[in-house]
């Protein structure tokens, strides 16, 4: 395949991963292999060098979220304030939308293998990030992707996600049905949240925390010595601690249940309460259903016919997958009025729960 020549003054894009790795390393790699399927946000490669393994990560060119800028600024900041539970940034080229990182050897953590040590490692990382809110350079970091600092910003996110799904309603009557249900819930939950937290001003800076945003063991590697490294900082930035904790509880890839769920929920809220956030329990009770409503819409992303969804799901005709996402959205909707369930997670089917 040939590519048009770059315009004058523009750095030519290096398409070949081998050449890109050589460009960032400053020498030829010994071997290279892709990792994963190049899904939602990036392409990842394992690079073998004469000094060991490194990771090559390339971000999408049409990235409106600034994933590379968020991740690299977060890694620089965290490296300056150890201990860190993240990879080191080794090299980068913003013109190529690519970075080299430490290769983290180990195994991905599954919900079935998560234990108290896993949850405690997450809580320790959250506590460290919260301590760093006063550290040098922290005020240069931006808000986390989709940060929420009051009810109104949550409302805007809900309406925005509903609009993105509008174009698919005509082709999918069952999608129309769940959206009608979620719109009805929004009309009930948003006014109730406004009554419980009527302040229109954003959450004071002193009560905010630094957040991975997409946080959990689904973005973590456990090394052979038991060390857990968190590997995805593409949405990193300032956020309400309530959103960090609530998103972690709602995230389909986490699916915390039973005692692990109650342990994380209580310890996370206590962490921020003890740091001076006296109203976090009330704010959590107010906002948790709204964040659940947002997740009810996120799980419907496979219906979106734009480049904002994973390449494998654009224009999908996988009827079973779409039906599963619809069923999951309904299970999320079932739980929105009942608070923080400690034994059940709506991402799981009844068969998976049993």
């Amino acid at each position: 395949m040939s590519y048009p020549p770059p315009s004058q003054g523009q750095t030519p894009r290096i398409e070949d991963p081998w050449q890109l790795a050589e460009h960032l390393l400053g020498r030829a790699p010994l071997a290279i292999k892709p990792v994963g399927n190049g899904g939602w946000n990036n392409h990842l490669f394992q690079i073998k060098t004469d000094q060991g393994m490194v990771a090559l990560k390339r971000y999408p060119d049409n990235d409106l979220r600034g994933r590379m800028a968020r991740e690299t600024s977060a890694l620089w900041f965290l490296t300056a304030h150890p201990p860190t539970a993240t990879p080191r940034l080794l090299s980068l080229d913003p013109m190529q939308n690519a970075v080299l990182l430490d290769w983290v050897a180990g195994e991905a953590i599954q919900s079935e293998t998560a234990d108290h040590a896993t949850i405690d490692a997450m809580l320790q990382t959250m506590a460290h990030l919260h301590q760093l809110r006063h550290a040098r350079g922290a005020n240069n970091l931006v808000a986390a992707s989709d940060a929420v600092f009051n009810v109104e910003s949550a409302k805007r996110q809900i309406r925005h996600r509903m609009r993105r799904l509008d174009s698919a309603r005509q082709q999918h009557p069952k999608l129309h049905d769940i959206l009608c249900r979620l719109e009805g819930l929004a009309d009930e939950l948003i006014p109730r949240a406004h009554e419980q937290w009527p302040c229109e001003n954003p959450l004071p800076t002193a009560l905010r925390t630094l957040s991975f945003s997409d946080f959990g063991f689904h973005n973590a590697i456990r090394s052979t010595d038991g060390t857990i490294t968190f590997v995805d900082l593409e949405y990193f930035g300032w956020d309400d601690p309530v959103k960090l904790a609530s998103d972690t509880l709602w995230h389909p890839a986490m699916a915390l249940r039973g005692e692990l769920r109650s342990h994380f929920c209580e310890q996370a809220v206590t962490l921020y309460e003890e740091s001076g956030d006296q109203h976090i329990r009330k704010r959590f009770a107010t906002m948790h259903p709204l964040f659940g409503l947002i997740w009810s819409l996120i799980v419907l992303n496979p219906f979106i016919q734009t480049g904002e969804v994973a390449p494998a799901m654009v224009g999908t005709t996988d009827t079973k997958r779409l039906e599963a996402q619809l069923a999951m959205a309904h299970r999320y909707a079932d739980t929105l009025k009942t608070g923080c369930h400690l034994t059940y997670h709506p991402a799981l089917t009844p068969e998976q729960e049993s």
Side-chain angles (χ1 to χ4, degrees):
M1 180 181 294
S2 61
Y3 296 89
S7 60
Q8 187 174 5
Q10 179 182 346
T11 302
R13 177 181 168 88
I14 302 173
E15 298 292 341
D16 180 64
W18 185 282
Q19 294 178 0
L20 181 59
E22 184 174 7
H23 169 70
L24 290 170
L25 283 167
R27 62 190 187 281
L30 300 180
I32 181 171
K33 68 176 181 179
V35 179
N37 298 318
W40 295 82
N41 304 329
N42 56 67
H43 294 272
L44 184 67
F45 301 88
Q46 183 190 61
I47 310 296
K48 183 178 180 180
T49 77
D50 53 4
Q51 297 179 6
M53 298 292 188
V54 298
L56 167 63
K57 189 173 188 178
R58 170 162 251 169
Y59 305 82
D61 287 335
N62 58 344
D63 178 19
L64 301 179
R65 291 180 178 265
R67 293 178 176 91
M68 178 178 173
R70 288 179 184 276
E71 185 154 42
T72 54
S73 61
L75 291 172
W76 271 324
F77 172 75
L78 294 174
T79 300
H81 301 287
T84 178
T86 55
R88 285 184 306 151
L89 176 63
L90 304 175
S91 178
L92 77 160
D93 186 341
M95 303 304 297
Q96 298 295 335
N97 288 332
V99 299
L100 287 181
L101 305 166
D102 276 335
W103 178 259
V104 181
E107 295 183 351
I109 302 173
Q110 308 296 329
S111 58
E112 296 80 7
T113 62
D115 53 15
H116 272 84
T118 309
I119 302 304
D120 288 342
M122 292 173 58
L123 291 164
Q124 289 168 11
T125 299
M126 292 165 64
H128 181 59
L129 290 176
H130 199 53
Q131 292 171 355
L132 292 181
R133 68 191 187 280
H134 302 306
R136 182 178 180 181
N139 59 346
N140 294 324
L141 298 169
V142 299
S145 183
D146 293 331
V148 167
F149 297 118
N150 56 15
V151 175
E152 193 60 29
S153 56
K155 175 183 174 180
R156 287 195 297 270
Q157 277 196 43
I158 291 166
R159 299 306 184 195
H160 171 68
R161 290 187 178 278
M162 286 182 172
R163 286 194 298 271
R164 291 170 65 212
L165 287 158
D166 270 343
S167 61
R169 296 175 80 141
Q170 299 301 320
Q171 294 78 27
H172 301 279
K174 291 183 179 180
L175 174 64
H176 175 75
D177 293 342
I178 182 62
L179 288 177
C180 287
R181 184 182 181 191
L182 294 176
E183 286 164 351
L185 284 167
D187 290 341
E188 181 177 347
L189 293 172
I190 293 171
R192 187 174 76 179
H194 272 298
E195 292 177 3
Q196 294 172 336
W197 188 16
C199 180
E200 295 182 1
N201 295 327
L203 185 72
T205 302
L207 298 181
R208 301 179 188 184
T209 195
L210 292 170
S211 169
F212 283 56
S213 193
D214 188 8
F215 183 58
F217 51 69
H218 60 290
N219 281 325
I221 302 294
R222 182 188 282 122
S223 301
T224 54
D225 63 358
T227 302
I228 294 177
T229 303
F230 296 96
V231 295
D232 190 344
L233 288 79
E234 297 179 8
Y235 305 107
F236 189 94
W238 291 100
D239 212 339
D240 186 340
V242 164
K243 187 168 190 295
L244 170 57
S246 183
D247 277 354
T248 305
L249 290 166
W250 284 117
H251 201 302
M254 290 289 296
L256 287 176
R257 292 165 288 174
E259 211 280 323
L260 285 183
R261 185 174 178 86
S262 62
H263 177 66
F264 174 83
C265 187
E266 177 59 31
Q267 293 302 312
V269 172
T270 300
L271 162 66
Y272 301 112
E273 188 175 48
E274 291 180 347
S275 72
D277 193 342
Q278 299 176 354
H279 302 293
I280 189 167
R281 291 182 185 272
K282 180 179 179 181
R283 203 165 71 252
F284 186 93
T286 299
M287 298 301 295
H288 188 62
L290 293 187
F291 295 137
L293 180 54
I294 289 172
W295 278 103
S296 304
L297 294 162
I298 290 174
V299 301
L300 295 172
N301 274 348
F303 287 92
I304 299 173
Q305 304 297 303
T306 74
E308 298 179 56
V309 300
M313 293 304 298
V314 172
T316 182
T317 57
D318 186 346
T319 303
K320 289 185 178 180
R321 170 66 191 275
L322 295 180
E323 290 284 347
Q325 297 303 112
L326 287 167
M328 188 188 301
H330 277 290
R331 292 195 299 273
Y332 269 85
D334 290 340
T335 69
L336 294 184
K337 298 181 184 180
T338 57
C340 182
H341 276 275
L342 302 182
T343 59
Y344 167 75
H345 197 286
L348 302 176
T349 65
E351 292 77 15
Q352 291 171 313
E353 285 281 356
S354 60

